[in-house]
Amino acid sequence: MKIILLGPPGAGKGTIAKALMQHDESVQISTGDILRGAVAAGTELGKQAEAAMTAGDLVTDELIMGIMEERLQQDDCQQGYLLDGFPRTIPQAEALKALLSKLDERLDCVLELDIPRDIIIDRLTTRRTCTNCGEIYNVKFKPPRAEGICDVCGNEIVQRDDETEEAIENRLQVYNEQTAPLVEFYRNEGLLVSVPTSDLEPVMDALKSRI
Ligand code: AMP
């Protein structure tokens, strides 16, 4: 599978990517995870990305394309990939198209998770993330066994800096302005598959004819 997962923050792209990975050898590539890793490690990339990320703004297309050109040519991508959080702007989508054509590769489809805004806000404000392994919790629907402690690795779980209400509002506005136009872009490319849910079964049904 070579799929783009498209949808606002909190739509469930990461969750669906992990579920789809159980079905074949495709790897999940999350630009957000790559950037958070770089920030945590204090690398040059992390330093360049940190301020924009904390504010809920996008980092530059140049930075992202630098990461993705390298990442998509690594060996584990041969079996397929699920792009989670990339592309996020029309210039990124155009650059990806040019890169894939250079690599002689083709996307199977672009899966749009079309989730209502109130559900998104509720999910994001109640989401908590492990500072060590990245496991996701939700204070309402999936709390950890011990408060503030990750079930998987025992480290601290926190609310991400970009999941305060102010940053979330900004991230949704950024999505509407810069990322939502990709829906039309990929519809025109004949690649768009839209589903109004992030539950695995309906998503699998919608994907069946494409993969
Ligand atoms: P995410 O975990 O996908 O919501 O990404 C977290 C943050 O990383 C975003 O709010 C952006 O600041 C940055 N980011 C991730 N992917 C991209 C991208 N494709 N283009 C620009 N910024 C990105």
Side-chain angles (χ1 to χ4, degrees):
M1 283 189 275
K2 292 195 171 82
I3 294 183
I4 292 174
L5 296 160
L6 189 60
K13 300 185 295 293
T15 308
I16 280 293
K18 288 191 176 67
L20 291 175
M21 271 166 50
Q22 314 289 321
H23 287 261
D24 75 2
E25 305 282 291
S26 306
V27 286
Q28 175 192 14
I29 303 179
S30 155
T31 39
D33 284 349
I34 294 172
L35 293 169
R36 276 185 290 278
V39 171
T43 64
E44 193 48 41
L45 170 67
K47 285 183 192 133
Q48 289 176 38
E50 190 168 13
M53 290 177 73
T54 305
D57 290 328
L58 296 184
V59 308
T60 63
D61 291 334
E62 290 69 28
L63 210 68
I64 292 292
M65 287 319 299
I67 297 172
M68 291 307 286
E69 284 206 15
E70 201 184 308
R71 183 68 188 88
L72 288 175
Q73 296 186 63
Q74 287 170 2
D75 286 348
D76 62 347
C77 289
Q78 298 309 315
Q79 307 297 327
Y81 41 75
L82 305 156
L83 302 182
D84 164 8
F86 169 83
R88 253 178 157 101
T89 63
I90 293 284
Q92 289 179 23
E94 298 277 16
L96 174 65
K97 189 174 168 182
L99 176 64
L100 292 180
S101 142
K102 190 176 91 183
L103 299 175
D104 201 19
E105 286 180 15
R106 221 176 39 82
L107 292 170
D108 292 302
C109 69
V110 175
L111 176 69
E112 183 206 7
L113 301 176
D114 187 13
I115 314 290
R117 185 186 161 89
D118 50 339
I119 295 183
I120 299 278
I121 292 182
D122 195 45
R123 270 190 199 169
L124 286 178
T125 49
T126 53
R127 186 153 89 169
R128 302 290 181 270
T129 308
C130 174
T131 47
N132 178 51
C133 71
E135 182 73 8
I136 306 279
Y137 295 89
N138 183 292
V139 291
K140 281 194 199 161
F141 310 114
K142 189 197 165 196
R145 284 194 292 272
E147 201 186 323
I149 305 293
C150 179
D151 294 348
V152 179
C153 71
N155 280 273
E156 190 190 13
I157 59 171
V158 296
Q159 184 169 33
R160 273 168 39 181
D161 285 347
D162 63 356
E163 285 174 356
T164 61
E165 269 195 64
E166 195 188 351
I168 289 168
E169 281 296 334
N170 189 39
R171 285 165 73 199
L172 290 176
Q173 192 178 336
V174 167
Y175 179 82
N176 286 338
E177 287 170 8
Q178 303 199 51
T179 310
L182 296 184
V183 172
E184 233 13 74
F185 179 94
Y186 285 118
R187 201 194 310 279
N188 291 336
E189 299 269 314
L191 287 170
L192 194 76
V193 175
S194 217
V195 283
T197 168
S198 49
D199 294 338
L200 183 61
E201 224 171 284
V203 167
M204 286 300 285
D205 284 346
L207 288 179
K208 255 177 207 144
S209 62
R210 306 301 296 253
I211 56 177

Short mmCIF file of all heavy atoms in Angstrom, two decimals, residues 25-76:
data_model
loop_
_atom_site.label_atom_id
_atom_site.label_comp_id
_atom_site.label_asym_id
_atom_site.label_seq_id
_atom_site.Cartn_x
_atom_site.Cartn_y
_atom_site.Cartn_z
N GLU A 25 2.92 -5.06 5.03
CA GLU A 25 4.28 -4.67 5.44
C GLU A 25 4.53 -3.17 5.36
O GLU A 25 5.65 -2.73 5.56
CB GLU A 25 5.30 -5.35 4.50
CG GLU A 25 5.16 -6.86 4.41
CD GLU A 25 5.77 -7.54 5.62
OE1 GLU A 25 6.99 -7.50 5.76
OE2 GLU A 25 4.99 -8.08 6.44
N SER A 26 3.49 -2.40 5.03
CA SER A 26 3.70 -0.96 4.86
C SER A 26 4.19 -0.31 6.16
O SER A 26 3.80 -0.74 7.24
CB SER A 26 2.40 -0.27 4.47
OG SER A 26 1.85 -0.89 3.34
N VAL A 27 5.00 0.73 6.03
CA VAL A 27 5.46 1.45 7.22
C VAL A 27 4.69 2.76 7.37
O VAL A 27 4.32 3.38 6.37
CB VAL A 27 6.98 1.77 7.16
CG1 VAL A 27 7.80 0.52 7.39
CG2 VAL A 27 7.38 2.47 5.87
N GLN A 28 4.48 3.16 8.62
CA GLN A 28 3.86 4.46 8.88
C GLN A 28 4.96 5.51 8.88
O GLN A 28 5.99 5.32 9.54
CB GLN A 28 3.18 4.44 10.26
CG GLN A 28 2.62 5.80 10.67
CD GLN A 28 2.21 5.83 12.15
OE1 GLN A 28 2.58 4.95 12.92
NE2 GLN A 28 1.48 6.85 12.53
N ILE A 29 4.76 6.57 8.12
CA ILE A 29 5.73 7.68 8.18
C ILE A 29 4.99 8.92 8.63
O ILE A 29 4.15 9.45 7.91
CB ILE A 29 6.39 7.92 6.80
CG1 ILE A 29 7.07 6.63 6.32
CG2 ILE A 29 7.39 9.07 6.89
CD1 ILE A 29 7.72 6.74 4.95
N SER A 30 5.27 9.34 9.87
CA SER A 30 4.62 10.51 10.43
C SER A 30 5.63 11.64 10.52
O SER A 30 6.61 11.55 11.27
CB SER A 30 4.07 10.17 11.83
OG SER A 30 3.95 11.35 12.61
N THR A 31 5.41 12.70 9.75
CA THR A 31 6.36 13.83 9.80
C THR A 31 6.32 14.48 11.19
O THR A 31 7.35 14.92 11.69
CB THR A 31 6.05 14.88 8.71
OG1 THR A 31 4.63 15.04 8.60
CG2 THR A 31 6.62 14.49 7.38
N GLY A 32 5.14 14.47 11.84
CA GLY A 32 5.05 15.02 13.21
C GLY A 32 5.95 14.24 14.16
O GLY A 32 6.68 14.83 14.97
N ASP A 33 5.93 12.90 14.07
CA ASP A 33 6.78 12.07 14.95
C ASP A 33 8.26 12.32 14.66
O ASP A 33 9.07 12.40 15.58
CB ASP A 33 6.48 10.57 14.76
CG ASP A 33 5.18 10.15 15.44
OD1 ASP A 33 4.62 10.97 16.21
OD2 ASP A 33 4.73 9.01 15.19
N ILE A 34 8.59 12.42 13.38
CA ILE A 34 10.00 12.66 13.01
C ILE A 34 10.46 13.99 13.61
O ILE A 34 11.52 14.09 14.22
CB ILE A 34 10.18 12.67 11.47
CG1 ILE A 34 9.88 11.27 10.90
CG2 ILE A 34 11.58 13.13 11.08
CD1 ILE A 34 9.84 11.20 9.37
N LEU A 35 9.60 15.01 13.48
CA LEU A 35 9.97 16.34 13.99
C LEU A 35 10.05 16.34 15.52
O LEU A 35 10.97 16.92 16.10
CB LEU A 35 8.99 17.40 13.51
CG LEU A 35 9.01 17.69 12.00
CD1 LEU A 35 7.83 18.55 11.59
CD2 LEU A 35 10.31 18.39 11.61
N ARG A 36 9.07 15.69 16.18
CA ARG A 36 9.11 15.64 17.66
C ARG A 36 10.37 14.92 18.13
O ARG A 36 11.00 15.33 19.11
CB ARG A 36 7.84 14.97 18.22
CG ARG A 36 6.66 15.93 18.35
CD ARG A 36 5.46 15.27 19.02
NE ARG A 36 4.86 14.28 18.16
CZ ARG A 36 3.99 14.56 17.18
NH1 ARG A 36 3.64 15.81 16.95
NH2 ARG A 36 3.48 13.60 16.43
N GLY A 37 10.76 13.87 17.41
CA GLY A 37 11.99 13.15 17.75
C GLY A 37 13.20 14.07 17.63
O GLY A 37 14.10 14.06 18.47
N ALA A 38 13.21 14.88 16.58
CA ALA A 38 14.33 15.80 16.35
C ALA A 38 14.38 16.88 17.44
O ALA A 38 15.45 17.25 17.91
CB ALA A 38 14.21 16.43 14.97
N VAL A 39 13.19 17.36 17.86
CA VAL A 39 13.15 18.37 18.93
C VAL A 39 13.67 17.76 20.23
O VAL A 39 14.52 18.34 20.92
CB VAL A 39 11.71 18.91 19.12
CG1 VAL A 39 11.61 19.79 20.37
CG2 VAL A 39 11.26 19.71 17.90
N ALA A 40 13.20 16.54 20.53
CA ALA A 40 13.61 15.89 21.78
C ALA A 40 15.12 15.62 21.78
O ALA A 40 15.77 15.73 22.82
CB ALA A 40 12.84 14.58 21.96
N ALA A 41 15.67 15.30 20.61
CA ALA A 41 17.10 14.99 20.53
C ALA A 41 17.95 16.25 20.41
O ALA A 41 19.17 16.19 20.46
CB ALA A 41 17.36 14.07 19.34
N GLY A 42 17.29 17.41 20.26
CA GLY A 42 18.02 18.68 20.18
C GLY A 42 18.86 18.84 18.92
O GLY A 42 19.86 19.54 18.92
N THR A 43 18.45 18.18 17.83
CA THR A 43 19.22 18.29 16.58
C THR A 43 18.97 19.64 15.91
O THR A 43 18.03 20.37 16.27
CB THR A 43 18.82 17.18 15.58
OG1 THR A 43 17.45 17.40 15.22
CG2 THR A 43 18.98 15.79 16.16
N GLU A 44 19.76 19.92 14.88
CA GLU A 44 19.61 21.16 14.12
C GLU A 44 18.18 21.25 13.54
O GLU A 44 17.52 22.28 13.61
CB GLU A 44 20.66 21.18 12.99
CG GLU A 44 20.84 22.51 12.31
CD GLU A 44 20.99 23.70 13.27
OE1 GLU A 44 21.69 23.58 14.29
OE2 GLU A 44 20.37 24.73 12.98
N LEU A 45 17.71 20.12 12.99
CA LEU A 45 16.35 20.06 12.44
C LEU A 45 15.33 20.42 13.53
O LEU A 45 14.42 21.22 13.31
CB LEU A 45 16.08 18.65 11.90
CG LEU A 45 14.64 18.32 11.51
CD1 LEU A 45 14.21 19.15 10.30
CD2 LEU A 45 14.50 16.82 11.19
N GLY A 46 15.51 19.83 14.71
CA GLY A 46 14.60 20.10 15.83
C GLY A 46 14.58 21.57 16.19
O GLY A 46 13.52 22.15 16.44
N LYS A 47 15.77 22.19 16.22
CA LYS A 47 15.84 23.61 16.59
C LYS A 47 15.11 24.47 15.57
O LYS A 47 14.45 25.43 15.91
CB LYS A 47 17.31 24.06 16.68
CG LYS A 47 17.96 23.52 17.94
CD LYS A 47 19.40 24.02 18.09
CE LYS A 47 20.08 23.22 19.20
NZ LYS A 47 21.40 22.74 18.84
N GLN A 48 15.21 24.08 14.29
CA GLN A 48 14.55 24.87 13.25
C GLN A 48 13.03 24.71 13.30
O GLN A 48 12.29 25.59 12.89
CB GLN A 48 15.05 24.44 11.86
CG GLN A 48 16.47 24.88 11.59
CD GLN A 48 16.96 24.36 10.25
OE1 GLN A 48 16.22 24.30 9.28
NE2 GLN A 48 18.20 23.94 10.20
N ALA A 49 12.56 23.56 13.79
CA ALA A 49 11.13 23.26 13.74
C ALA A 49 10.37 23.65 15.00
O ALA A 49 9.16 23.87 14.96
CB ALA A 49 10.93 21.76 13.48
N GLU A 50 11.07 23.77 16.13
CA GLU A 50 10.39 23.80 17.42
C GLU A 50 9.38 24.94 17.61
O GLU A 50 8.26 24.72 18.03
CB GLU A 50 11.43 23.84 18.55
CG GLU A 50 10.79 23.63 19.91
CD GLU A 50 11.82 23.37 21.00
OE1 GLU A 50 13.03 23.58 20.76
OE2 GLU A 50 11.39 22.97 22.09
N ALA A 51 9.78 26.17 17.26
CA ALA A 51 8.90 27.31 17.53
C ALA A 51 7.59 27.19 16.76
O ALA A 51 6.50 27.36 17.31
CB ALA A 51 9.61 28.62 17.16
N ALA A 52 7.68 26.83 15.48
CA ALA A 52 6.47 26.69 14.66
C ALA A 52 5.59 25.59 15.22
O ALA A 52 4.36 25.74 15.30
CB ALA A 52 6.85 26.38 13.21
N MET A 53 6.20 24.49 15.65
CA MET A 53 5.40 23.37 16.15
C MET A 53 4.65 23.75 17.42
O MET A 53 3.47 23.44 17.57
CB MET A 53 6.31 22.17 16.42
CG MET A 53 6.83 21.54 15.16
SD MET A 53 7.96 20.21 15.52
CE MET A 53 6.82 18.95 16.08
N THR A 54 5.33 24.42 18.35
CA THR A 54 4.68 24.78 19.62
C THR A 54 3.50 25.71 19.36
O THR A 54 2.47 25.59 20.01
CB THR A 54 5.71 25.46 20.56
OG1 THR A 54 6.81 24.57 20.70
CG2 THR A 54 5.11 25.74 21.92
N ALA A 55 3.62 26.59 18.39
CA ALA A 55 2.53 27.52 18.08
C ALA A 55 1.41 26.86 17.29
O ALA A 55 0.34 27.43 17.11
CB ALA A 55 3.09 28.71 17.30
N GLY A 56 1.66 25.64 16.79
CA GLY A 56 0.65 24.99 15.95
C GLY A 56 0.72 25.43 14.50
O GLY A 56 -0.18 25.16 13.71
N ASP A 57 1.81 26.11 14.13
CA ASP A 57 2.00 26.51 12.72
C ASP A 57 2.73 25.40 11.98
O ASP A 57 3.29 24.48 12.58
CB ASP A 57 2.86 27.79 12.64
CG ASP A 57 2.10 29.00 13.16
OD1 ASP A 57 0.87 29.03 13.00
OD2 ASP A 57 2.75 29.89 13.73
N LEU A 58 2.79 25.51 10.65
CA LEU A 58 3.53 24.52 9.86
C LEU A 58 5.01 24.91 9.80
O LEU A 58 5.34 26.09 9.78
CB LEU A 58 2.97 24.44 8.44
CG LEU A 58 1.54 23.94 8.29
CD1 LEU A 58 1.18 23.83 6.81
CD2 LEU A 58 1.33 22.60 8.99
N VAL A 59 5.88 23.92 9.75
CA VAL A 59 7.29 24.20 9.47
C VAL A 59 7.41 24.37 7.95
O VAL A 59 6.47 24.07 7.21
CB VAL A 59 8.23 23.10 10.01
CG1 VAL A 59 7.95 22.82 11.48
CG2 VAL A 59 8.11 21.82 9.23
N THR A 60 8.57 24.84 7.48
CA THR A 60 8.63 25.20 6.05
C THR A 60 8.58 23.98 5.14
O THR A 60 9.00 22.88 5.51
CB THR A 60 9.95 25.96 5.74
OG1 THR A 60 11.05 25.09 5.99
CG2 THR A 60 10.08 27.22 6.58
N ASP A 61 8.07 24.21 3.93
CA ASP A 61 8.00 23.13 2.93
C ASP A 61 9.41 22.59 2.63
O ASP A 61 9.58 21.39 2.44
CB ASP A 61 7.39 23.67 1.63
CG ASP A 61 5.90 24.01 1.80
OD1 ASP A 61 5.25 23.41 2.66
OD2 ASP A 61 5.43 24.89 1.06
N GLU A 62 10.41 23.47 2.62
CA GLU A 62 11.79 23.04 2.30
C GLU A 62 12.28 22.04 3.34
O GLU A 62 12.86 21.00 3.00
CB GLU A 62 12.76 24.25 2.30
CG GLU A 62 12.57 25.21 1.14
CD GLU A 62 11.27 26.02 1.23
OE1 GLU A 62 10.77 26.25 2.37
OE2 GLU A 62 10.74 26.40 0.18
N LEU A 63 12.02 22.35 4.62
CA LEU A 63 12.46 21.45 5.70
C LEU A 63 11.79 20.08 5.55
O LEU A 63 12.43 19.04 5.62
CB LEU A 63 12.08 22.09 7.04
CG LEU A 63 12.98 21.78 8.23
CD1 LEU A 63 14.34 22.42 8.03
CD2 LEU A 63 12.34 22.33 9.50
N ILE A 64 10.47 20.12 5.31
CA ILE A 64 9.71 18.87 5.21
C ILE A 64 10.16 18.06 3.98
O ILE A 64 10.36 16.85 4.06
CB ILE A 64 8.20 19.18 5.10
CG1 ILE A 64 7.69 19.77 6.42
CG2 ILE A 64 7.40 17.95 4.72
CD1 ILE A 64 7.67 18.83 7.59
N MET A 65 10.36 18.73 2.85
CA MET A 65 10.74 17.99 1.64
C MET A 65 12.14 17.41 1.80
O MET A 65 12.43 16.31 1.31
CB MET A 65 10.64 18.87 0.39
CG MET A 65 9.22 19.16 -0.06
SD MET A 65 8.04 17.77 0.02
CE MET A 65 8.77 16.57 -1.11
N GLY A 66 13.01 18.12 2.52
CA GLY A 66 14.35 17.58 2.80
C GLY A 66 14.23 16.25 3.56
O GLY A 66 14.90 15.27 3.22
N ILE A 67 13.36 16.23 4.56
CA ILE A 67 13.16 15.00 5.36
C ILE A 67 12.58 13.90 4.48
O ILE A 67 13.06 12.76 4.45
CB ILE A 67 12.16 15.25 6.52
CG1 ILE A 67 12.69 16.27 7.50
CG2 ILE A 67 11.82 13.95 7.23
CD1 ILE A 67 11.67 16.70 8.55
N MET A 68 11.53 14.24 3.72
CA MET A 68 10.77 13.20 3.02
C MET A 68 11.49 12.64 1.79
O MET A 68 11.35 11.47 1.47
CB MET A 68 9.38 13.72 2.63
CG MET A 68 8.48 13.94 3.83
SD MET A 68 8.34 12.48 4.91
CE MET A 68 7.28 11.45 3.92
N GLU A 69 12.27 13.47 1.12
CA GLU A 69 13.03 12.95 -0.03
C GLU A 69 13.94 11.83 0.43
O GLU A 69 14.09 10.81 -0.24
CB GLU A 69 13.86 14.06 -0.67
CG GLU A 69 12.98 14.97 -1.49
CD GLU A 69 13.72 15.66 -2.63
OE1 GLU A 69 14.84 15.23 -2.96
OE2 GLU A 69 13.17 16.63 -3.15
N GLU A 70 14.56 12.04 1.60
CA GLU A 70 15.47 11.03 2.13
C GLU A 70 14.68 9.81 2.64
O GLU A 70 14.98 8.67 2.32
CB GLU A 70 16.26 11.66 3.27
CG GLU A 70 17.54 10.94 3.58
CD GLU A 70 18.22 11.57 4.78
OE1 GLU A 70 18.42 12.80 4.79
OE2 GLU A 70 18.53 10.82 5.72
N ARG A 71 13.61 10.10 3.39
CA ARG A 71 12.87 9.01 4.05
C ARG A 71 12.23 8.06 3.05
O ARG A 71 12.25 6.84 3.22
CB ARG A 71 11.79 9.63 4.98
CG ARG A 71 11.00 8.61 5.78
CD ARG A 71 11.86 7.93 6.81
NE ARG A 71 11.19 6.80 7.47
CZ ARG A 71 11.19 5.55 7.02
NH1 ARG A 71 11.80 5.24 5.88
NH2 ARG A 71 10.58 4.59 7.69
N LEU A 72 11.66 8.63 1.97
CA LEU A 72 10.93 7.77 1.02
C LEU A 72 11.85 6.90 0.17
O LEU A 72 11.38 6.01 -0.54
CB LEU A 72 10.05 8.64 0.11
CG LEU A 72 8.82 9.24 0.80
CD1 LEU A 72 8.09 10.19 -0.15
CD2 LEU A 72 7.87 8.16 1.28
N GLN A 73 13.14 7.15 0.26
CA GLN A 73 14.07 6.32 -0.52
C GLN A 73 14.76 5.27 0.35
O GLN A 73 15.64 4.56 -0.11
CB GLN A 73 15.10 7.21 -1.22
CG GLN A 73 14.40 8.11 -2.24
CD GLN A 73 15.35 8.93 -3.08
OE1 GLN A 73 16.14 8.40 -3.82
NE2 GLN A 73 15.25 10.24 -2.92
N GLN A 74 14.36 5.19 1.63
CA GLN A 74 14.95 4.16 2.48
C GLN A 74 14.34 2.79 2.17
O GLN A 74 13.21 2.70 1.67
CB GLN A 74 14.79 4.54 3.96
CG GLN A 74 15.74 5.70 4.31
CD GLN A 74 15.49 6.31 5.67
OE1 GLN A 74 14.63 5.88 6.42
NE2 GLN A 74 16.25 7.35 5.97
N ASP A 75 15.11 1.73 2.49
CA ASP A 75 14.73 0.38 2.08
C ASP A 75 13.34 -0.05 2.55
O ASP A 75 12.60 -0.72 1.83
CB ASP A 75 15.75 -0.64 2.61
CG ASP A 75 17.04 -0.57 1.82
OD1 ASP A 75 17.04 0.09 0.75
OD2 ASP A 75 18.05 -1.14 2.28
N ASP A 76 12.99 0.32 3.79
CA ASP A 76 11.72 -0.17 4.34
C ASP A 76 10.50 0.39 3.60
O ASP A 76 9.38 -0.09 3.79
CB ASP A 76 11.62 0.10 5.85
CG ASP A 76 11.66 1.58 6.17
OD1 ASP A 76 12.00 2.39 5.28
OD2 ASP A 76 11.33 1.94 7.32
#
